[in-house]
Amino acid sequence: MENNQITENLKAHFLRLYQMAICDDDFSALELKMLYKCAEERGISSKNLDEILLNPINLQSLVPQTIEEKVDYLYDLTVMIWADGIVSPDEYSAMQKYVLMFGFLEENATAIVDYLIEAVKIGKNKNEILYELKN
């Protein structure tokens, strides 16, 4: 995928994933592998990911709009925090902030984060989570 085909929202997503990986001051090799694996799954080369990380954009104005995109991005963030098998308090707090940033109600934020962490722990994929949310 050429760099000019990578949307600003997708760039913002990878910057959020990187922020999530480093928020607990323990950026592990597992988290780094997860970041590059996620990029590969979306057709983004290692070189393009490096460029995204080295040339950050403003994330505040770029939030996912559809419920599918929100769940997709939150799932990736959850996979990132679970990559090392530990969810630190800083990672948990960051997840809550992203849930709120993506427009979910404050009273639901903790339940959403808990649900996503549990889903990732037991190996649910994005499609299973979306199915459960819609039914």
Side-chain angles (χ1 to χ4, degrees):
M1 177 180 283
E2 290 297 316
N3 193 32
N4 60 4
Q5 294 178 324
I6 302 171
T7 66
E8 295 297 298
N9 275 342
L10 195 53
K11 288 178 185 178
H13 178 55
F14 280 97
L15 290 168
R16 287 186 193 106
L17 286 171
Y18 178 71
Q19 287 177 327
M20 185 63 78
I22 64 172
C23 79
D24 64 353
D25 294 327
D26 183 24
F27 188 40
S28 74
L30 293 171
E31 290 169 325
L32 185 60
K33 283 181 184 179
M34 186 60 60
L35 186 62
Y36 280 89
K37 180 180 180 225
C38 188
E40 182 182 313
E41 289 172 354
R42 293 178 185 270
I44 298 173
S45 70
S46 296
K47 180 182 174 189
N48 283 342
L49 180 57
D50 292 342
E51 190 173 313
I52 291 167
L53 298 177
L54 292 172
N55 298 295
I57 57 175
N58 180 0
L59 302 178
Q60 295 301 329
S61 62
L62 297 169
V63 296
Q65 298 302 307
T66 67
I67 189 67
E68 292 82 7
E69 195 175 46
K70 290 175 184 183
V71 170
D72 183 23
Y73 287 6
L74 288 170
Y75 176 88
D76 287 347
L77 288 163
T78 308
V79 168
M80 179 62 68
I81 65 172
W82 187 246
D84 60 1
I86 300 166
V87 178
S88 75
D90 288 337
E91 290 170 329
Y92 190 90
S93 176
M95 274 299 297
Q96 288 180 308
K97 289 176 185 174
Y98 285 125
V99 166
L100 295 174
M101 181 190 302
F102 289 3
F104 291 96
L105 297 175
E106 188 171 352
E107 59 264 23
N108 296 334
T110 299
I112 291 169
V113 172
D114 290 344
Y115 169 79
L116 287 168
I117 291 169
E118 189 58 32
V120 167
K121 280 181 183 180
I122 64 173
K124 285 186 184 175
N125 65 38
K126 294 175 201 179
N127 292 332
E128 291 172 309
I129 292 169
L130 278 169
Y131 179 81
E132 286 180 4
L133 292 174
K134 291 181 176 182
N135 294 303

